[in-house]
Amino acid sequence: MKLPAEVANSLLFDGVDGTGLEIAAQALRPLSFRAGQRIFEAGDEGHALYIIQRGKVKISHCNLDGKEKILAYLSPGKIFGEMSLVEEKPRSASAQAINETVLYTLYAEEYWSLIKRYPRVAHNLARVLAQRLREMNHEVEVLTFEESRGRVAYALLKLYRHEFGEPTRRGRVLPLTQRELADIAGTSRETVTRVINEFQNRGYLRSETGQIEVFDPAGLEKVLYDLE
C-alpha cells in the first residue's frame, strides 16, 4: 500500500526516504468519519495520532461553564492527537469531523516500531510538538494583551497559515461563519462582525455567508503587530 500524498508529505515524514514511507504505509491505518462525527472526546484515553488525508477537522474543548472553545480547524496533511504518543494521559481536547473525512492513524505500538528503524520520525514528532508549544505561547500572549482587532486578525492568520480552506487566485477562502471565528478569537459575534467589516473596507478580505476570503495576510499582520 502506498501512502496518499497528503499523508506522505506531512511534517511527520519530512526527510523520510521511499523505503521508510513504504514501511510507514504498513503501520498506518485509514479510518473514515462522517460529517459531524466525533473522532475523540476530551478525557478519552489516547493511543494514536492522526493525519488528515481528506476532509476537515475541528479541535475544541469546553470551558468550566460548558461553552465550547474552538482551538483549531485542520485541513489535509495536518497532524493531531500526537501528545498521546509521548505521554499516557487522557485527551486534553475533542476532535470532530466537519465533513466527510479520512484519517490515517498511527497507534503507539506501530509508532515505537517505526522510530526504531527511522529515528527521523521521532525528530519530526518533536518538531510538531515544538510548533504547538510556540503557537500556544503566542496565542496566550495575543488573548492576554491584544484587543478585539488583534484577536480577530490573529485567528484569521492562524487559519490562513495552517492552510485551512482552499487557495484562490487572490488568496484563500476560509469556510467558517463569523460565529465560529468569534469562538476562535475569544470574543463576541457582534465584535467580529464590526472588525470584519473594518477589514473588508481596508481590502484585507471579503466576507460572505459561511466563508471569509483573505486577500492580504500582510495587512492582518500589521493589525496584529500594530504596524498600521
Side-chain angles (χ1 to χ4, degrees), residues 48-49 80-89 91-92 125 129:
L49 68 70
F80 65 98
E82 68 283 344
M83 289 178 65
S84 67
L85 296 189
V86 295
E87 63 173 1
E88 296 181 359
K89 290 189 177 181
R91 299 287 189 186
S92 59
L125 181 63
L129 292 169

Side-chain angles (χ1 to χ4, degrees), residues 1-8 10 12-13 21 24-33 39 48-54 57 77-80 101-107:
M1 182 180 72
K2 184 177 181 181
L3 285 177
E6 297 87 353
V7 178
S10 70
L12 189 66
F13 300 117
L21 291 176
Q26 303 303 315
L28 282 104
R29 306 176 190 178
L31 295 175
S32 297
F33 295 84
I39 299 163
L49 68 70
Y50 302 87
I51 306 173
I52 304 172
Q53 189 262 317
R54 185 172 72 246
V57 172
K78 298 304 179 182
I79 300 164
F80 65 98
T101 298
V102 176
L103 307 175
Y104 273 66
T105 309
L106 182 62
Y107 290 95

Side-chain angles (χ1 to χ4, degrees), residues 29-223:
R29 306 176 190 178
L31 295 175
S32 297
F33 295 84
R34 63 182 180 276
Q37 185 176 356
R38 286 284 183 174
I39 299 163
F40 56 74
E41 297 274 3
D44 288 351
E45 291 187 14
H47 303 291
L49 68 70
Y50 302 87
I51 306 173
I52 304 172
Q53 189 262 317
R54 185 172 72 246
K56 293 182 174 63
V57 172
K58 177 176 72 174
I59 307 296
S60 65
H61 72 78
C62 288
N63 297 327
L64 293 178
D65 60 3
K67 182 179 179 182
E68 182 184 49
K69 165 64 177 175
I70 298 175
L71 303 176
Y73 285 107
L74 304 178
S75 296
K78 298 304 179 182
I79 300 164
F80 65 98
E82 68 283 344
M83 289 178 65
S84 67
L85 296 189
V86 295
E87 63 173 1
E88 296 181 359
K89 290 189 177 181
R91 299 287 189 186
S92 59
S94 300
Q96 181 180 22
I98 298 175
N99 48 19
E100 294 291 326
T101 298
V102 176
L103 307 175
Y104 273 66
T105 309
L106 182 62
Y107 290 95
E109 184 176 346
E110 284 79 8
Y111 168 74
W112 290 111
S113 295
L114 183 61
I115 64 173
K116 287 178 182 177
R117 298 188 64 178
Y118 287 90
R120 177 79 186 190
V121 174
H123 173 72
N124 288 341
L125 181 63
R127 291 170 61 194
V128 172
L129 292 169
Q131 287 182 1
R132 293 270 194 270
L133 179 60
R134 186 162 48 247
E135 187 174 89
M136 183 181 68
N137 289 340
H138 189 195
E139 187 160 332
V140 168
E141 181 179 342
V142 168
L143 295 179
T144 301
F145 298 108
E146 289 288 340
E147 41 77 44
S148 58
R149 292 169 73 251
R151 291 186 179 194
V152 174
Y154 174 78
L156 290 168
L157 283 168
K158 179 179 177 180
L159 293 166
Y160 189 95
R161 289 167 177 163
H162 277 284
E163 298 180 346
F164 180 70
E166 301 296 333
T168 66
R169 183 176 58 85
R170 298 183 61 185
R172 178 172 288 275
V173 170
L174 310 178
L176 80 166
T177 66
Q178 292 189 11
R179 172 71 269 170
E180 291 169 328
L181 180 60
D183 289 339
I184 299 173
T187 188
S188 70
R189 166 71 168 76
E190 294 74 20
T191 296
V192 164
T193 298
R194 174 176 55 80
V195 173
I196 287 295
N197 287 337
E198 176 190 339
F199 290 171
Q200 192 163 232
N201 291 335
R202 289 173 175 264
Y204 299 159
L205 52 80
R206 180 180 63 190
S207 178
E208 297 180 356
T209 303
Q211 66 179 35
I212 299 170
E213 185 175 10
V214 175
F215 304 139
D216 187 2
L220 295 175
E221 286 187 349
K222 290 179 181 179
V223 173

